[in-house]
Amino acid sequence: YTTIAPALFDRVGKDIELGYNEDDFATGRETRGKITDEWITADVSAAVQEVASAGKVSVIGFCFGGYATYVAACTVDGVSAAMPFYGGGIAARGGDMQPKCPTQFHFGDKDAAIPLDDLQKIKDALQDSPLYVYDDSGHGFTCDDRDSFNAGATERAFARAVAAIAHVLRCFEGEEVTHVSGSVDPLADAEVVETELMLADLQSLERRKDPLVKKARGGDKEAKVMLDLVERATTVLEDGKAARVM
């Protein structure tokens, strides 16, 4: 793939590089607060045009980049697929901004910055877009420089994103493209990946069920709600369907 990363912060300050200490977090929040949706649209649009000659274009982003990815899916022409990861602020815009391309959302269930209520709002407003929630995952769960890093959730999320990219961007035949099975079949590959992810989700749900059962028996109302959700998701997966159909 050809890749490009638009420097969205350059409109506020050139060559901004930030880490994960409190001072850098504060600078990042202040900088992000100055960036408008119109700037995001303009800058991502320019990036899409720059690489369009290479083929179909997908956008993927994390945290603020996740929100920017969502904005791009809704406003930028030439985007064929979008994968926002834990983008804050999406719930507030879901009612008036609809993606123009296939969009796949990824969030953690223990994200202190994005409550589960917000995820439900996104699901209700954007029902045609799959939204995946990863257990025991906080904000930034795909970043191995952060304490919230969750290797298992990252593997599953990236597998889903790559499968979607392959399905939307590379669904074609070409003699120059090689494959371990000897033939190129993106649709079959996507089905294999989806099956593997469903099995991984089942294992994850099984690990969560016993602790929830104990809490629910003790009268924990939130545990009862989560247990009902886990049991319904398990039934769906055991029927060979993805949990997103719930």
Side-chain angles (χ1 to χ4, degrees):
Y1 297 100
T2 298
T3 60
I4 185 170
L8 301 180
F9 279 11
D10 273 14
R11 287 182 178 268
V12 179
K14 296 290 186 180
D15 302 321
I16 295 177
E17 293 187 15
L18 302 172
Y20 296 102
N21 58 58
E22 289 302 320
D23 289 342
D24 282 355
F25 274 131
T27 300
R29 285 191 290 268
E30 180 182 1
T31 304
R32 184 266 175 272
K34 298 177 180 178
I35 297 175
T36 67
D37 287 358
E38 290 74 20
W39 289 357
I40 293 172
T41 298
D43 291 347
V44 176
S45 180
V48 169
Q49 293 174 30
E50 182 68 22
V51 297
S53 60
K56 294 181 179 179
V57 180
S58 171
V59 182
I60 186 169
F62 306 80
C63 192
F64 165 57
Y67 175 77
T69 297
Y70 165 69
V71 172
C74 298
T75 64
V76 175
D77 293 331
V79 175
S80 295
M83 292 83 183
F85 279 71
Y86 37 84
I90 295 175
R93 305 303 305 274
D96 55 24
M97 291 179 65
Q98 295 286 323
K100 300 191 294 183
C101 65
T103 302
Q104 183 186 89
F105 294 94
H106 301 269
F107 293 94
D109 66 340
K110 295 182 178 178
D111 192 325
I114 307 173
L116 292 176
D117 286 349
D118 279 5
L119 305 191
Q120 189 60 53
K121 291 177 182 177
I122 296 171
K123 291 185 69 173
D124 291 343
L126 308 174
Q127 296 183 16
D128 292 333
S129 299
L131 186 152
Y132 298 99
V133 182
Y134 299 88
D135 61 303
D136 295 322
S137 299
H139 195 77
F141 68 84
T142 65
C143 178
D144 58 9
D145 283 333
R146 301 185 63 164
D147 293 338
S148 58
F149 176 63
N150 183 322
T154 297
E155 182 178 0
R156 297 197 300 277
F158 283 175
R160 287 189 169 106
V162 171
I165 291 173
H167 180 76
V168 176
L169 270 60
R170 295 192 62 184
C171 195
F172 63 89
E173 295 183 358
E175 295 181 357
E176 73 282 3
V177 181
T178 60
H179 193 284
V180 292
S181 67
S183 63
V184 177
D185 190 343
L187 295 178
D189 289 346
E191 290 178 0
V192 170
V193 171
E194 186 69 22
T195 299
E196 292 176 346
L197 290 169
M198 287 164 60
L199 292 172
D201 285 343
L202 268 174
Q203 292 176 345
S204 176
L205 290 172
E206 289 172 359
R207 289 195 299 269
R208 298 196 69 182
K209 186 174 180 178
D210 286 344
L212 287 172
V213 168
K214 293 178 181 178
K215 290 182 179 179
R217 287 174 178 171
D220 189 316
K221 294 182 179 180
E222 184 176 350
K224 290 180 180 180
V225 172
M226 289 300 298
L227 179 60
D228 177 67
L229 180 61
V230 166
E231 290 177 339
R232 287 192 289 119
T234 299
T235 300
V236 170
L237 290 167
E238 288 177 341
D239 286 343
K241 302 176 183 176
R244 65 174 177 268
V245 304
M246 291 177 56

